[in-house]
Every structure is written in structure tokens, then in C-alpha cells.
Amino acid sequence: HVISEFPIPTPNAEPLGIALGPDGNLWFTEFGVSQIGMINPTTDKITEFPLPSANAQPFNITAGPNNTIWFTEWSGNQIGTIDITSGKLTSIPIPTSDSVPEGITLGSDGNIWFTEALGNNIGMINTKDNALTEYPLPTAGAQPYGITSGPGGNLWFTEYSGNQIGMYNPAKSSFSEFKIPTVYTEPTEIVADSQGNLWFTQSKTKDRKST
């Protein structure tokens, strides 16, 4: 295996999230300079798209329906989207102030789902009219982080401070939460595999000492 590296034109870009777009290009966030980047894997050319707000700090990113890319704006407290055909940028404000949106995914329902770490919500944007709905988590201070679409159309997410894996069932409008056996693991990202299993990362591997 060979690892290739591609310098980003803008210094101090701080790339974070990355996703395969419907156009076959790779789209990524530039947290440090509030831009969205795109790299063509055939030509290796990088194109950058400055966001309207210089303090947006885009975090995670996902492909959406109808040739769109969606991303969370960590400091901007918005969800952004790019129409990759026209290059048009749109930002959708989150009703909860200082919610710190982090994870984002395309649901099996065709809508965009995201987490609000400090708002302690998961949110949904209806991609037909861009209407935004928030759903408060049962556990206070859970800090939802990563999110993915899983079996049965359910949304699965990590609870960074709650040390749990959460699941939201849109059909029943209900939450379920599952405690992680090891304490204080600070789970972050999550993804579903082809067998219907959920895999997630744990940023801490040792228990904190009691005080």
C-alpha cells in the first residue's frame, strides 16, 4: 500500500471531515479557514469554496440527495449545503443557540440528520423544503457526536459524555440508549456495516480514576 498526500492550497486549513460526493469527487471540510474543499481523484486538483461566514468552522460532511453536499458548521451554529451542479451555498440556522453541530449523515428517508453536542439534540432537515426539526436526547449532557443511518431506517449516534450509543426510531419518534460496558470511553464516530452491525470508535481506552 502507498500513501499519497495532497497539500491544500490555503495554509492552516485544518481539514477534518471527508466524504465521497455523487460526482465521484472527494469533498472535505476546512475547519481552520471556513471553507469546503473538493479534490478530483483523477487529476488531483483541489478546488475550494469559501463559506459566507468566516467563523463557520465546518466540521463533518456527507453527500445528500439531488447532487448536494451537506456539512455541520461547528461555530456558525448552522447546517450548510452545496449544490455541486451550480456551486450555490446555503446555510440553515439551528434554533438552539450554541448547539455545536458535529456529526451529519444522509438518512434512508432521504433527509439529513445531524448531532448537536452541546444542544444535546439530534436534528433533521427535510431536504424537500429545508425545514429543520430537533429531537432532545433522554440523557442530559450526553453530548451526541457521530451519527449514521442503520438497519430499519433508524439513526444511531454516539454519546460522548453519556458513554452510550443512542438510537432514534423516526417511525415511532422514540429513543433507545445502550450503555457501553467500559466506563468513560468517550465514543466519537459510528458507522453501520453490510451485516447490519454498528461499529464505533472510543477515544479513551482506560477508565478514569475515581476521585
Side-chain angles (χ1 to χ4, degrees), residues 56-74:
Q57 293 187 303
F59 201 90
N60 272 318
I61 192 166
T62 190
N66 305 317
N67 288 325
T68 56
I69 297 292
W70 294 76
F71 50 92
T72 52
E73 296 184 19
W74 197 78

Side-chain angles (χ1 to χ4, degrees), residues 14-19 27-31 37 58-62 189:
E14 292 186 59
L16 287 182
I18 189 167
W27 292 76
F28 56 93
T29 58
E30 298 183 18
F31 182 84
F59 201 90
N60 272 318
I61 192 166
T62 190
E189 300 297 342

Side-chain angles (χ1 to χ4, degrees), residues 89-107:
L89 284 158
T90 302
S91 291
I92 302 166
I94 295 171
T96 299
S97 61
D98 301 319
S99 69
V100 185
E102 290 189 347
I104 191 165
T105 193
L106 174 64

Side-chain angles (χ1 to χ4, degrees), residues 22 51 59 67 82 135 162 172 193 195 199:
L51 299 182
F59 201 90
N67 288 325
I82 295 180
Y135 304 90
K172 296 181 179 181
D193 68 17
Q195 306 301 312
W199 294 77

Side-chain angles (χ1 to χ4, degrees), residues 99-120:
S99 69
V100 185
E102 290 189 347
I104 191 165
T105 193
L106 174 64
S108 61
D109 56 2
N111 296 320
I112 297 296
W113 293 80
F114 60 94
T115 58
E116 300 175 24
L118 294 189
N120 211 49

